Amino acid sequence: MATDIVAQLADSLAQTGVEEGELSYKGQGRKLNDAQSAEEMVKEIQDFEGLQALRLEGNTVGVEAAQAIAKALETKSEFKRCYWSDMFTGRLRSEIPPALNSLGDALMLAGARLTVLDLSDNAFGPDGVRGIEKLLKSTACYTLQELRLNNCGMGIGGGKILAASLIQCHKKSSADSAPLSLKVFVAGRNRLENDGATALAQAFQLMGSLEEVHMPQNGINHAGVTALATAMQHNTGLRILNLNDNTFTEKGAIAMAQALKHLRSIQVINFGDCLVRPAGAIAIAETVSEGLPILKELNLSFGEITEEAALAVAQAVKDKAQLEKLDLNGNCLGDDGCKALKDTMEGMNMGELLGSLSDDEGEPEDDDEDEDEDEDDDDEEVDDEEVEEEEEEEEEEESSGNKPSTPASAPRPPDVSSFLSFPSPDKLLKLGAKRALLIEQQVDVSDATKTAEAFLKIASVYKEENYDVKSAVLDSIDGLLRKAFSTPSFHGYSFVSSLLVLLGLLKSEDKVKPVTVVPGHLHALEHVVRQDYFPKENVAVLEAFMSRNNKALESCGNARNSLQSALQRVRSES
């Protein structure tokens, strides 16, 4: 009989989710407005020997009630876990910070060492984060392993306060030889945006201990995603990365693909509804195929991915023995693409792992893009005419001796700005032997887009048949890119992404006007990919885009073929 009772009690505890040393009021809907209404709970907390966890989810706690509960917690030195989500329903936002301050002060006074702090679904905004700021910086959080702040409306301001608190906690705990080693971070639906995400990325990079990161629906664009990608590289034990419903675009997706190369413990990747686009999907596929041995789930749904990119992703998971699900729903495959994807997965005996494709949006429309390209071509022709006119005017001035600012007998001084504004072979040669150094000094190599623009301008004057011009171009490009790739803040994947956009091979969210592609661009790029400074992980992305049929490359057949051959050789050698 006693055994049966014990068994029933164990089952009951398991069903209610009560853990050792835990007191739970979860989902009881209590309205604790003042000290009197909290009397029963306060007494139970006081009488609970060895209290380690308190569940207050699904109740509503006012300032006075929180102060009474806090008083009862002041003696609970073994306290570890705060399950305090959804406990301020119906409260004024101004009530929440003092309530949280009271509870936090009590835990610090008790000498608690927290492992879990869950304040999700409280919608307390930046002021609520200030209510836990002191707690997060205290010794009580040196041992924190799980921080859950889902759906709290923190905003950018709250994200920055949270990041600063975590950084301070890590600094202080490290000084005590017990550095903060947070394992789980949850902060979905908080409107963190780029600035909030970037601030938190600094904290993540510093800790380097994360195993799960959940930050869906935060309005983060490629700048914030890139910052997070850099931080994730330092968290090599990461198992779950959920950034669903943020806007990666190609830049963010390529950055994240590079970060994933460092994460061999990753099991779940959720980049659904992140607009990774074909280039991003191909970059991610490359990373998946080369590593991620224990990957279980990959979600790239609703990302404007086309058939070619989807098939690359499918091929990438071929040898993933632990894979449980591949989600490519809601993309732009079309009926034929969906069939090809299903056939590919079934051909690898993985058909049952492919999620539904019922929401596929069909093949992308090319009409608008073609019109944009035509308009860009027209604009580019006008620009070319303007360049020719300016060069003719300069030649006329030189031949007639009209140089008001320079004596006729003196040579015209090198002008890098003039060359970069209106490139010509003659101008490049006139910069002299120090042209590479002069160009390096003129270009901000910490900016990937500006570096890509400068590369294309230099490469545009390349002449295969003119040795002097060819050498000047390649020397200048080597100097510029060697410096760029050796600059710590320079991101190679951002450079490649900008390059593809400027060449018109990749559609940009920023409405960038592409240049007119000339053979010199591709010849120079062929040279660059062979150099030791160029990251070999970017070769596959370039190769994928050069293999596509694209109007921008039609006039550069031989140069394109030569570049493709070089890319294949470099990839096979690496």
Side-chain angles (χ1 to χ4, degrees), residues 429-437:
L429 292 175
K430 284 182 177 178
L431 291 176
K434 294 185 177 180
R435 63 179 68 86
L437 179 60

Side-chain angles (χ1 to χ4, degrees), residues 4 26 46 50 55 62 66 69 89 98 105 150 159 196 230 283 326 339 377 386 391 414 419 480 485 498 519 551 573:
D4 292 342
K26 181 178 180 179
Q46 289 172 335
R55 288 189 174 273
I69 294 169
T89 302
D105 288 346
N150 202 58
T230 301
L326 173 63
K339 183 179 185 303
D377 289 344
E386 290 173 356
E391 288 177 3
F419 168 72
L480 176 69
F485 282 107
S498 296
K551 283 200 319 181
E573 290 168 2

Side-chain angles (χ1 to χ4, degrees), residues 228-381:
L228 289 171
T230 301
M232 291 307 118
Q233 295 182 30
H234 298 267
N235 290 265
T236 54
L238 195 68
R239 295 182 296 103
I240 299 174
L241 182 56
N242 175 11
L243 295 174
N244 188 284
D245 200 9
N246 290 291
T247 309
F248 282 35
T249 63
E250 301 92 342
K251 292 180 182 178
I254 291 171
M256 198 57 74
Q258 299 303 318
L260 289 171
K261 292 177 184 291
H262 301 265
L263 306 178
R264 292 184 59 81
S265 298
I266 199 83
Q267 296 178 14
V268 178
I269 300 171
N270 186 346
F271 296 161
D273 207 12
C274 285
L275 209 65
V276 299
R277 294 183 175 152
I282 289 171
I284 291 168
E286 181 78 14
T287 296
V288 171
S289 65
E290 292 176 355
L292 315 192
I294 57 174
L295 185 66
K296 292 184 177 180
E297 183 174 333
L298 176 60
N299 183 348
L300 296 177
S301 59
F302 298 93
E304 290 189 0
I305 298 172
T306 54
E307 177 184 348
E308 177 189 3
L311 292 175
V313 172
Q315 289 291 340
V317 302
K318 179 167 67 171
D319 298 321
K320 306 305 166 191
Q322 298 187 36
L323 191 73
E324 297 174 359
K325 184 176 182 182
L326 173 63
D327 192 346
L328 289 168
N329 196 20
N331 283 300
C332 304
L333 310 184
D335 292 341
D336 291 342
C338 287
K339 183 179 185 303
L341 179 59
K342 289 177 181 177
D343 290 346
T344 298
M345 292 295 287
E346 288 171 1
M348 299 186 298
N349 294 320
M350 302 176 82
E352 74 282 0
L353 305 183
L354 180 64
S356 169
L357 299 175
S358 60
D359 294 318
D360 186 77
E361 297 189 2
E363 295 182 38
E365 295 289 339
D366 293 330
D367 294 344
D368 293 340
E369 188 171 344
D370 290 342
E371 289 174 8
D372 290 342
E373 287 178 3
D374 291 340
E375 290 173 6
D376 291 336
D377 289 344
D378 292 339
D379 291 340
E380 197 65 34
E381 287 170 10

Side-chain angles (χ1 to χ4, degrees), residues 22 55 74 83 171 206-207 236 313 321 351 358 398 499 505:
E22 180 178 291
R55 288 189 174 273
E74 288 180 357
Y83 298 108
K171 181 179 178 180
L206 193 62
M207 291 185 291
T236 54
V313 172
S358 60
E398 290 176 5
L499 201 60
L505 305 180

Side-chain angles (χ1 to χ4, degrees), residues 52-70:
Q52 295 183 27
L54 178 63
R55 288 189 174 273
L56 295 175
E57 310 104 306
N59 299 285
T60 177
V61 182
V63 175
E64 290 184 19
Q67 290 169 343
I69 294 169

